[in-house]
Amino acid sequence: MYKVFCVLGIMLLALVATGCTSPSEKVAETIIESQTNGDVDVDVDNETVSINTDGGSFQSGEDVTLPDGFPSDVHVAEGTLVSAIHVTDPDGYSVSLNSSDSVTDLKSEYQSAIVDDGWTILGTYEVSGSVSFTAEKDNRTLSVTIGATDDQSSVVISTSTDSE
């Protein structure tokens, strides 16, 4: 389901760029419903694409918000959210944001926040100016990846509940 949201999100971003209208939203809904065998709601508003299905939600654009139910014990740095995904089976979230803070500052911020929020850091990996953390708490896993772009940093935060 995660792959479906990613591919569909990219396709729908093209619709936003071309000024998607309500009939286009209906066409997108019909196509997605035929591929997922479920009800789908596609909404394009203020340069933001939102897709909601029984299996989760996807949002990308200029006015992205954290998905409903996003874990309160997962730190989200200050910045502009650019995408958000929630999948219901297994329960998981992924958000991407852009920050004006440096990779070094964000690394320090997340090293502290992850531990302060009760997670156990399993590993820290640094490659070519990027840093990635993996952590666990109860039956959940957390991944945070921080990298530099042209004039800002990007952060991708993913968390999932292990199926039991």
Side-chain angles (χ1 to χ4, degrees), residues 101-112 114 121 123-134 142-149 153-158:
D101 293 338
S102 70
V103 170
T104 302
D105 289 345
L106 288 165
K107 174 186 172 188
S108 296
E109 180 178 335
Y110 272 96
Q111 271 180 313
S112 297
I114 290 171
I121 295 177
T124 303
Y125 313 95
E126 295 187 57
V127 178
S128 302
S130 296
V131 63
S132 181
F133 298 98
T134 55
L142 172 67
S143 170
V144 177
T145 302
I146 306 163
T149 59
S153 298
S154 65
V155 180
V156 178
I157 307 158
S158 300

